[in-house]
Amino acid sequence: MTRSLEASSHRSVGRAVGQVFLWLWLLLGLIPLVFMVVTSVKPAGIVHQVPPAWVFPVTFENFVTVLAGGAGVSQPFGTLLFNSAVVSLGATALTIVLSVPAAYALSMRTFGPRKGISSWILSTYMFPPIVAVIPIFVFAGQLGLMDTYPVLIVPYAAFNMPIAIWILRSAIVQIPYEIQEAAMVDGASHWVTLRRVIWPLLAPSVATVAVLTIVLTWNEFLFALSLTRSDAKTAPVGLQEFTGMFGTDWGSITAGATLIVAPILVLTILLRRKMVSGLTFGAVK
């Protein structure tokens, strides 16, 4: 009995120490985010002050200037955020629409080469996207798609599909195969089984794929910089306009960065439970 109490006490202490360490690590990681938000609400006169001032009158002038298209930028930042939203949601929708049927096909027991093809698809995720910039740039120019939404949506979906297919396939494999067999015995086709049986059970995994795709496409810079000019230019590309030959407008650039981070942060907080459920689906039977 004494040994059991001692072991329980040691586990409790270890758990408490682990939680304290995780909270400290989280607070350390939040320092750049807090500094960015604090700088975005500083008056123009003290943004460049060294050491930084932590007591100051809060102002939202930087956000107003950025959203109105001031500070010498080519477009209002609201337009760039809209472009980012269209591209991210379009790439996410295309990724899910193509990945769910592919994952279902690769989970079917009657499909012989499913394991080999699944491994090959996952291996393509190691393909560095930077080597595809020039070919896509050439093709987009020949097809007249430069500075349009599709020229970003299609590559983004293609680069996110390997991990999306793997996550969804792993989730489908964990669903009892007898459920699918029962549906087929009742006369359901593969498409009906996918739509009415598999799809409702994939909600956590689909949410995980959606959040991962949105985050990766929302923050992407290289393709958006190379393949857009003004009509489809995204918010991360617009941030570079706050840095010029005469210096950096830290108030505007931190305000713009805050506007970029805020939607992703809110989305992650709202869907965090489904994300964890989707990533750990089937881990414990």
Side-chain angles (χ1 to χ4, degrees):
M1 184 67 177
T2 304
R3 291 181 179 179
S4 176
L5 291 175
E6 290 179 354
S8 177
S9 177
H10 287 310
R11 285 195 297 268
S12 300
V13 172
R15 190 179 299 110
V17 172
Q19 290 179 352
V20 170
F21 175 77
L22 289 176
W23 276 108
L24 290 176
W25 188 261
L26 175 63
L27 293 175
L28 182 63
L30 288 176
I31 290 177
L33 184 63
V34 172
F35 186 80
M36 176 186 70
V37 175
V38 170
T39 304
S40 68
V41 295
K42 285 183 178 181
I46 62 174
V47 169
H48 300 276
Q49 184 174 330
V50 179
W54 296 100
V55 179
F56 53 85
V58 176
T59 178
F60 294 97
E61 180 182 355
N62 294 320
F63 290 93
V64 174
T65 301
V66 168
L67 291 174
V73 297
S74 59
Q75 289 178 292
F77 209 74
T79 302
L80 303 183
L81 290 172
F82 175 79
N83 292 339
S84 293
V86 171
V87 170
S88 298
L89 295 177
T92 301
L94 183 60
T95 299
I96 293 174
V97 168
L98 297 178
S99 297
V100 171
Y104 176 60
L106 293 173
S107 66
M108 297 176 61
R109 296 180 180 179
T110 56
F111 185 50
R114 61 186 184 278
K115 293 184 179 180
I117 295 178
S118 299
S119 300
W120 174 77
I121 290 176
L122 182 62
S123 68
T124 61
Y125 195 64
M126 296 183 290
F127 179 81
I130 189 173
V131 303
V133 172
I134 295 178
I136 293 177
F137 181 87
V138 174
F139 291 150
Q142 293 176 346
L143 296 175
L145 295 176
M146 289 294 295
D147 201 19
T148 61
Y149 293 140
V151 79
L152 293 179
I153 291 175
V154 174
Y156 288 167
F159 289 130
N160 285 286
M161 278 184 62
I163 189 64
I165 291 175
W166 190 263
I167 292 175
L168 294 172
R169 177 186 176 274
S170 300
I172 295 175
V173 168
Q174 300 302 324
I175 298 174
Y177 196 72
E178 290 74 16
I179 297 178
Q180 302 181 43
E181 291 180 335
M184 293 179 183
V185 168
D186 291 338
S189 63
H190 289 298
W191 283 109
V192 173
T193 302
L194 175 61
R195 186 175 69 254
R196 296 188 177 182
V197 178
I198 302 299
W199 176 258
L201 299 175
L202 282 181
S205 298
V206 170
T208 301
V209 169
V211 172
L212 290 177
T213 304
I214 289 176
V215 170
L216 292 174
T217 55
W218 182 271
N219 294 326
E220 205 281 327
F221 177 81
L222 180 61
F223 277 80
L225 176 65
S226 304
L227 303 176
T228 63
R229 295 297 178 267
S230 59
D231 293 341
K233 183 167 67 173
T234 58
V237 178
L239 279 182
Q240 67 174 344
E241 296 187 3
F242 299 116
T243 300
M245 61 184 299
F246 299 107
T248 300
D249 186 354
W250 290 108
S252 296
I253 200 172
T254 52
T258 301
L259 292 173
I260 292 176
V261 171
I264 298 299
L265 185 61
V266 172
L267 179 65
T268 304
I269 292 175
L270 293 177
L271 297 179
R272 67 187 186 280
R273 294 186 182 277
K274 287 189 176 294
M275 287 184 63
V276 173
S277 177
L279 290 173
T280 60
F281 184 78
V284 179
K285 294 185 179 180

